[in-house]
Amino acid sequence: MNNTSLDTRERRGVRNTHNIISIIFLSLLAVMAFIFSITLLIKNATLQREEEAVRSELDALNNEGYYTEAEARIMLDEAKKEAEEKTKKSFRDMIQQKLEAGEGTTATIRSLFPDQIVVASAGRYYFFPISDQIEHHGFSEGDFAYNDKGFLEYLGPDINVNVKQGVDVSRFQGNINWEKVAASGIDFAFIRVGFRGNTEGKIVLDDCFTDNIEGALANGIDVGVYFYTQAINEQEALEEVQILLDMIEPYDIKFPVVIDVESAESDSARTLNLTTDEYELVAKTFCETVKKAGYTPMIYGNVKSFTLLMDAADVDDYDIWIAYYGESQYYPYHFNIWQYTDSGKVDGIDGNVDLNICITDY
């Protein structure tokens, strides 16, 4: 019986302990809830103060002339439209000024795309990005100017540039007084050997070749030669170059042996549908044969020749004779000879003649 009373007291003690723990736990929860409520009240009060401060700043900004986001967006759109209209007007005015000043359409378009080569052909314009993978000539506008003889001379800062003056001639210049030509300051001459017809493809030798090459050499003028090609395949290119090599064999040729690559502006031209690869094959076949014969090969052409007909990068290994008329060179890549006019005047030659400068020592 005493044991039973002891067990009863122990159970009561355990219940009392549990009650005390529960009271303490609930008290802690109440304290934490109170603290959390106080924290929320403090944060809420802080947010209200910050909101009031922001509103005060916005009111101040509005009072000082600032705008809402919607107002700012409207003003931005209006400013953008106004800027576009001004740009269009400025663009139109610039084009109008260039055309009124006498610049042609092609020259005007080229000035608007300085990072591309612009070529006009058959009523269309073609755009070729200027490549950094091809050597550039490095000359700037103002590096060249005409002297009192009408010859283009170099005025740039590079002391290593040594310009020689030259002409290129064919039967169209008639009888030439080479003694007077030499006395006028001409250092070199390119003599046409012949050409291939652009429709039937017949090879024709230049009637004045012998007189011209012998007259130039007899008066101390260095000579090179050229052939106007209309070959459409490798076999015809070999035919042209072999005839040329036979013709020049007796003479001292110091300047390059040149293939003239130009498109015949005719709907019946035999080269009308030639691809870039086919043009390049003709040029390379000619040049490699010339090289094997011990001469310096060269390709003559205009800007169209080295963009539409051939890829300048594919013929970059050969010397280049570029035809571009004026004091500033538009073609950006390296060249060795520059034909700068087809209406030059030289004592000893009747009428107009092509004038050239050479910047390479041959």
Side-chain angles (χ1 to χ4, degrees):
M1 183 172 181
N2 290 335
N3 289 336
T4 301
S5 298
L6 181 60
D7 290 339
T8 300
R9 286 195 298 271
E10 287 178 351
R11 285 196 295 271
R12 288 176 180 172
V14 170
R15 283 198 299 271
N16 290 336
T17 301
H18 287 168
N19 290 336
I20 293 171
I21 292 173
S22 297
I23 292 170
I24 293 172
F25 179 72
L26 291 173
S27 298
L28 288 173
L29 286 177
V31 171
M32 291 176 65
F34 177 75
I35 293 173
F36 182 70
S37 299
I38 295 299
T39 302
L40 287 178
L41 289 172
I42 293 173
K43 286 187 175 181
N44 186 49
T46 301
L47 289 174
Q48 287 180 348
R49 287 195 300 272
E50 290 178 353
E51 182 180 357
E52 290 175 357
V54 170
R55 285 178 178 175
S56 297
E57 290 179 2
L58 289 174
D59 290 340
L61 290 175
N62 286 330
N63 292 333
E64 292 177 9
Y66 290 87
Y67 304 94
T68 65
E69 181 179 352
E71 291 172 333
R73 187 179 295 110
I74 292 173
M75 294 183 66
L76 182 61
D77 290 341
E78 291 176 350
K80 183 178 179 181
K81 290 179 181 178
E82 183 179 354
E84 288 175 350
E85 288 300 320
K86 287 183 178 179
T87 301
K88 289 179 182 178
K89 185 178 185 306
S90 175
F91 186 74
R92 290 194 300 266
D93 290 346
M94 179 182 64
I95 293 177
Q96 181 178 344
Q97 290 171 5
K98 287 179 175 292
L99 294 176
E100 289 179 345
E103 288 193 27
T105 304
T106 300
T108 299
I109 293 175
R110 283 173 171 172
S111 69
L112 302 176
F113 296 89
D115 59 340
Q116 301 191 61
I117 302 174
V118 181
V119 180
S121 178
R124 296 177 58 187
Y125 287 93
Y126 300 84
F127 297 80
F128 300 88
I130 296 176
S131 173
D132 291 331
Q133 304 304 312
I134 306 174
E135 180 186 355
H136 290 219
H137 56 65
F139 295 118
S140 302
E141 186 173 356
D143 280 352
F144 295 91
Y146 292 109
N147 61 22
D148 55 0
K149 291 183 177 181
F151 296 167
L152 197 64
E153 60 181 14
Y154 178 69
L155 304 177
D158 190 345
I159 61 174
N160 295 315
V161 175
N162 180 28
V163 169
K164 294 181 179 180
Q165 301 293 337
V167 295
D168 59 271
V169 297
S170 67
R171 65 179 179 85
F172 294 110
Q173 277 67 51
N175 294 323
I176 297 175
N177 186 327
W178 285 101
E179 183 178 0
K180 288 184 177 181
V181 172
S184 70
I186 294 299
D187 304 303
F188 67 91
F190 278 98
I191 315 297
R192 189 177 72 167
V193 174
F195 64 94
R196 185 187 291 274
N198 60 25
T199 54
E200 297 180 359
K202 180 181 178 181
I203 290 180
V204 180
L205 298 179
D206 193 294
D207 295 337
C208 295
F209 169 74
T210 301
D211 288 342
N212 282 335
I213 195 168
E214 291 181 357
L217 289 171
N219 286 277
I221 297 174
D222 292 332
V223 298
V225 295
Y226 72 96
F227 192 98
Y228 175 79
T229 184
Q230 286 291 288
I232 58 175
N233 53 44
E234 183 178 12
Q235 181 180 353
E236 289 189 352
L238 287 171
E239 180 186 14
E240 292 175 355
V241 70
Q242 192 56 59
I243 289 174
L244 177 145
L245 291 173
D246 290 342
M247 292 289 291
I248 67 174
E249 196 276 331
Y251 303 108
D252 180 18
I253 309 296
K254 292 183 178 179
F255 268 62
V257 173
V258 184
I259 181 171
D260 180 348
V261 181
E262 300 175 75
S263 62
E265 303 299 332
S266 169
D267 292 338
S268 60
R270 63 201 312 270
T271 57
L272 185 64
N273 296 316
L274 247 59
T275 65
T276 296
D277 288 341
E278 289 169 330
Y279 269 113
E280 290 176 359
L281 177 61
V282 167
K284 290 179 179 180
T285 299
F286 184 101
C287 288
E288 289 303 312
T289 306
V290 167
K291 187 185 297 184
K292 289 179 182 178
Y295 301 99
T296 301
M298 174 178 275
I299 302 174
Y300 169 94
N302 50 34
V303 176
K304 178 180 177 180
S305 302
F306 296 107
T307 50
L308 279 176
L309 306 189
M310 299 175 289
D311 187 334
D314 293 337
V315 294
D316 190 43
D317 291 337
Y318 301 109
D319 285 9
I320 299 298
W321 179 4
I322 184 70
Y324 185 78
Y325 300 153
E327 291 180 305
S328 297
Q329 179 55 258
Y330 176 70
Y331 185 70
Y333 305 130
H334 81 91
F335 61 86
N336 306 87
I337 295 176
W338 173 7
Q339 184 186 87
Y340 58 88
T341 183
D342 61 352
S343 56
K345 302 294 183 183
V346 175
D347 192 22
I349 300 177
D350 293 333
N352 295 333
V353 65
D354 297 339
L355 295 181
N356 306 269
I357 56 171
C358 176
I359 60 173
T360 301
D361 188 17
Y362 289 110

